[in-house]
Amino acid sequence: MRDKLLVSACLLGLCCKYDGGSNRLPDDKLHKLCESYELIPVCPEAYGGLTTPRAPSERRDGGVFSSEGRDVTVQFKKGAEAALYLAETLGIRKALLKENSPSCGSGTIYDGSFSGKLIPGDGVTAELLKAHGIEVSGESSL
Ligand code: SF4
């Protein structure tokens, strides 16, 4: 039986990105993932109750704020808790999450200035999953 892998839904081609698009992986990488794992898609920002499309958001000052200045910390935390619940309910120990995202990013995220600058850090969901022992990697590891 294949292990389950939690995957950012936008990497699988779901149009849940803030601008209504996706971050679909190339076909060859998707096929390899499907052969190796049972894929479980998750979009924490949608799970947290945010619409698609939506204004982009970034982490800063201990919270998450949209480019329009809206405090969306509660929605990001709710989405992260939902992703963790899904992972724990299904016994998932590994996640492949979209790099640099304020939810899914692992290792680097945007700095909160909406200038495209990256800084060390994790997205809200990646941080929570890691804190519960789930191994998180990004798409460039494929
Ligand atoms: Fe993709 Fe994660 Fe952003 Fe959803 S929250 S669109 S899964 S990067």
Side-chain angles (χ1 to χ4, degrees):
M1 201 172 106
R2 289 169 297 164
D3 285 342
K4 291 183 174 65
L5 180 70
L6 199 71
V7 187
S8 291
C10 60
L11 291 176
L12 299 178
L14 272 76
C15 294
C16 51
K17 200 177 152 186
Y18 73 89
D19 61 3
S22 83
N23 297 304
R24 192 179 193 279
L25 292 167
D27 285 350
D28 59 332
K29 291 188 175 175
L30 278 179
H31 289 152
K32 272 192 187 161
L33 274 180
C34 288
E35 283 168 8
S36 307
Y37 296 99
E38 189 178 339
L39 305 180
I40 308 295
V42 61
C43 177
E45 290 175 33
Y47 282 16
L50 295 172
T51 59
T52 303
R54 56 189 173 275
S57 298
E58 296 188 0
R59 295 192 85 172
R60 71 172 156 82
D61 303 329
V64 189
F65 297 86
S66 79
S67 59
E68 297 165 338
R70 179 183 170 202
D71 184 344
V72 287
T73 308
V74 168
Q75 288 85 351
F76 273 64
K77 284 187 174 170
K78 190 175 160 198
E81 293 286 352
L84 177 64
Y85 176 79
L86 186 62
E88 291 191 328
T89 302
L90 296 175
I92 298 172
R93 304 308 307 156
K94 289 173 85 173
L96 177 73
L97 300 184
K98 177 72 186 80
E99 291 165 357
N100 305 327
S101 154
S103 291
C104 294
S106 175
T108 53
I109 53 171
Y110 292 108
D111 72 349
S113 66
F114 298 94
S115 62
K117 188 180 169 211
L118 292 167
I119 55 171
D122 291 330
V124 177
T125 294
E127 185 176 79
L128 186 67
L129 294 179
K130 284 181 182 181
H132 286 78
I134 294 169
E135 184 188 324
V136 177
S137 57
E139 68 274 19
S140 62
S141 68
L142 294 173

